[in-house]
Amino acid sequence: MEVPVGFLSTLWSFLSFLPFFFLLLLLGLIKAAIFGPLVVIVILLGNSAVILGLWPAHCIWTYYSIIRTKRFGLTLKIFILLSLLVPLVLWPIFGIIGSLLVGIGYGIFAPLSATFEAIGEEKFSEKLYHCFVDGCWSSIEGSFTVVRDFTDFCFHSYFSYMDELREKMHDDEQPTDIKLLELPSCLLVSLLSVVVDVPMITLVALSKSPYMLFKGWKRLLEDLIGREGPFLETVCVPFAGLAIILWPLAVTLAVVSAFLSSFFLGLYGGVIVHQESSLQLGLAYIVAIVAVFDEYTNDLLFLREGSCLPRPKYRKHTNPSSGPLERNTSIEMQMNELKNGKVGPGKKLVSERSRTLKKVIQELRPMQVWDWLFESGGLNGGMLLQEGLITVEDIEECVRGGSCRKLSIRLPAYCILQCLVRSAKSDSYGLLLNDEVELTSYNSPKDKVYEWFLGPLLVMKEQIKGLQLNENEIACLNKLIISYKNERVEDWENSGFPSEDKVRIAQLQALLRRLQGIVASMSRIPTFRRRFQNLVKALYQEATTNRENNSTDNGSMSSNRGAMRGKRKMNGSYEKTRGNQALENKVNRNSVELDSIV
């Protein structure tokens, strides 16, 4: 696509874009007006039924788990039990209101985005067809998917968290408790922090919102008119207009998010008092957290470094910047690595973008990582099924019971282990998902949850690289992570592991335990369970087909063996008949000869 050069070309490009954009916007709004109410009804009724239906079980099981857990001390248990009354009572109200807002947002933006994405089709006839069709039934299907994921979170993920809370502690772990004498100080600082920090943080967010609004508009208009950045292709130009119109909504949501997060930042002051055992440091946190938030927003908006607000030290032995907000230093890390020449082939900077906005959206979608994980699970699951490490009984148990540790935890851990070993062998900077895709801290989904998972996996890759595993050890590890426990060194005594070094075995077992723990945390994400059930169904169909083919082959072989036995039996009877006839003839001849002699 040629970039317009000159004022007249740029003006003509902008004017010719307007009718095209407004027609698509009108079509998307019409589809949103038709199908949006249905989406709202599905999400509101579905989520409300789940919230109200499971609310008694959530209340009872929460109190039961906190009472039975050994991870909290007596004072902390009493404090949590008393504090939970208000959240549990307000949960149905906020849950239903949130479901209504999610339904409205999804009902409007799903048809809109689908209408604009339809212009990415190659043929004009396909573009025209998909502009009218996309976002209609798919939005309704997506609303059912939202309800299903919400149900999985409320019914499976929540109870999984409670079960983990009641698990036995290790011998070296100590229960978490708060000192009774410090409890009044914690409550006082939390209350003061909410009263002071909530309006101050909201004021900081409001003061930065005009700059965020106009800077965003300026950048989007520059990209639209100059066809630079993500809007270089014609297919992406309508997205520019949609982004310009929706940018004020994004700024509003940012301010609302800052207001809601300010309550949690304020309540964190009580944690500071308890951790540092100092009321003075808790009061210092009340003042410092506003400056920390101001510096954080400056980093996000690429303003001046630091903050003009006072920032007293609220930690005794650590950097005062450590706390609930961490400074965003990814750009600085990239620049340092670029200066030092550490950004080599296969590594991307955050500022790099694809040539189309559609590709950029796919790059930043967290579901792309899920796609790799479950596609790898399907391929490796079929291979393990043929090798006998996964049996049909395991799959049937998972289908009947709804969960199976070998499939839900060990199989994804096996896939990630293959990725870690492959990445360590190739000495890659990140994780090699396949031959063409490398996942690094720069091109990974910009989601805090994925950053929590990616960081430990990169550390584990370096640990594998340091252990310098040979081929026999790698092959044995693939079997051990599926079929053996990893709690003690004695669990691998009869496993056939090549090395007898107990320290090396303990290191590998710790690595596998940590990997399975990461997968267990990933399994609580709502979309994981839905994708995992689809994977189990595919493996069950493959196992059933293989079993039917084997039974058919065995049946044909049995029939062939039966025919051969029948043929041999018939031949034996024929031979026996011939032998009896010969013996009878011989007896007759002998009797004739005897008579003649007599």
Side-chain angles (χ1 to χ4, degrees), residues 16 56 181 254 297 358 435 457 463 498 591:
S16 62
L181 295 178
T297 54
K358 191 172 183 180
D435 295 336
L457 291 179
Q463 292 176 345
S591 62

Side-chain angles (χ1 to χ4, degrees), residues 267-561:
L267 294 174
Y268 193 78
V271 179
I272 297 295
V273 175
H274 174 259
Q275 291 177 345
E276 303 297 333
S277 300
S278 173
L279 176 62
Q280 182 179 358
L281 293 179
L283 297 175
Y285 170 84
I286 297 177
V287 179
I289 193 59
V290 181
V292 173
F293 182 81
D294 184 44
E295 183 178 352
Y296 181 75
T297 54
N298 289 341
D299 290 340
L300 291 179
L301 298 176
F302 298 100
L303 296 174
R304 66 183 187 279
E305 294 186 2
S307 174
C308 60
L309 300 176
R311 187 176 177 179
K313 183 179 179 180
Y314 59 89
R315 294 283 191 183
K316 291 180 180 178
H317 305 294
T318 59
N319 193 335
S321 61
S322 62
L325 289 176
E326 295 179 358
R327 187 177 176 183
N328 185 11
T329 59
S330 60
I331 301 295
E332 296 178 1
M333 292 170 58
Q334 293 178 48
M335 296 305 297
N336 292 333
E337 291 190 355
L338 185 60
K339 292 177 182 179
N340 297 330
K342 294 182 180 180
V343 179
K347 303 176 180 61
K348 285 188 176 183
L349 294 177
V350 170
S351 58
E352 291 182 0
R353 292 292 182 265
S354 293
R355 289 180 58 83
T356 64
L357 182 61
K358 191 172 183 180
K359 291 183 179 179
V360 173
I361 294 174
Q362 290 178 354
E363 275 189 12
L364 300 180
R365 281 176 54 195
M367 289 299 104
Q368 191 175 11
V369 181
W370 280 148
D371 292 340
W372 164 81
L373 180 60
F374 288 100
E375 287 175 3
S376 178
L379 295 175
N380 291 321
M383 181 185 65
L384 295 174
L385 190 63
Q386 294 178 355
E387 295 178 357
L389 294 177
I390 293 179
T391 62
V392 181
E393 289 74 15
D394 295 330
I395 302 177
E396 290 178 347
E397 177 187 354
C398 189
V399 172
R400 290 193 304 264
S403 62
C404 173
R405 184 173 178 82
K406 179 176 283 190
L407 290 179
S408 62
I409 303 297
R410 294 179 182 270
L411 178 57
Y414 175 89
C415 299
I416 299 177
L417 178 63
Q418 300 293 314
C419 175
L420 295 176
V421 172
R422 183 170 59 248
S423 304
K425 281 185 176 181
S426 62
D427 196 20
S428 64
Y429 180 77
L431 301 180
L432 287 177
L433 302 185
N434 52 49
D435 295 336
E436 299 179 355
V437 179
E438 179 181 1
L439 181 66
T440 66
S441 58
Y442 305 134
N443 63 357
S444 63
K446 300 302 178 286
D447 192 321
K448 202 66 177 178
V449 176
Y450 283 86
E451 292 179 3
W452 291 340
F453 293 139
L454 181 60
L457 291 179
L458 292 175
V459 174
M460 294 169 68
K461 183 205 69 173
E462 297 298 328
Q463 292 176 345
I464 293 176
K465 186 188 299 184
L467 289 173
Q468 297 180 352
L469 302 175
N470 56 43
E471 295 297 330
N472 294 331
E473 290 176 335
I474 293 174
C476 192
L477 276 181
N478 295 334
K479 179 182 68 173
L480 293 173
I481 196 172
I482 292 292
S483 304
Y484 283 78
K485 295 181 178 180
N486 306 305
E487 301 296 332
R488 299 174 299 174
V489 177
E490 292 77 10
D491 295 334
W492 287 10
E493 285 184 351
N494 300 322
S495 62
F497 189 72
S499 176
E500 296 182 356
D501 187 357
K502 292 187 177 180
V503 175
R504 187 179 182 84
I505 292 176
Q507 291 176 340
L508 290 173
Q509 285 183 335
L511 189 144
L512 295 185
R513 286 197 303 269
R514 190 178 183 189
L515 181 58
Q516 292 177 356
I518 292 175
V519 174
S521 299
M522 294 170 61
S523 65
R524 298 188 181 108
I525 300 176
T527 54
F528 184 95
R529 179 171 176 80
R530 172 166 49 85
R531 301 289 296 270
F532 172 71
Q533 289 177 345
N534 295 332
L535 172 62
V536 172
K537 291 178 182 178
L539 290 177
Y540 183 73
Q541 292 177 356
E542 182 178 353
T544 305
T545 303
N546 293 338
R547 185 166 57 180
E548 290 177 354
N549 293 335
N550 293 333
S551 62
T552 303
D553 296 338
N554 294 334
S556 60
M557 293 176 62
S558 299
S559 61
N560 292 335
R561 287 195 298 268

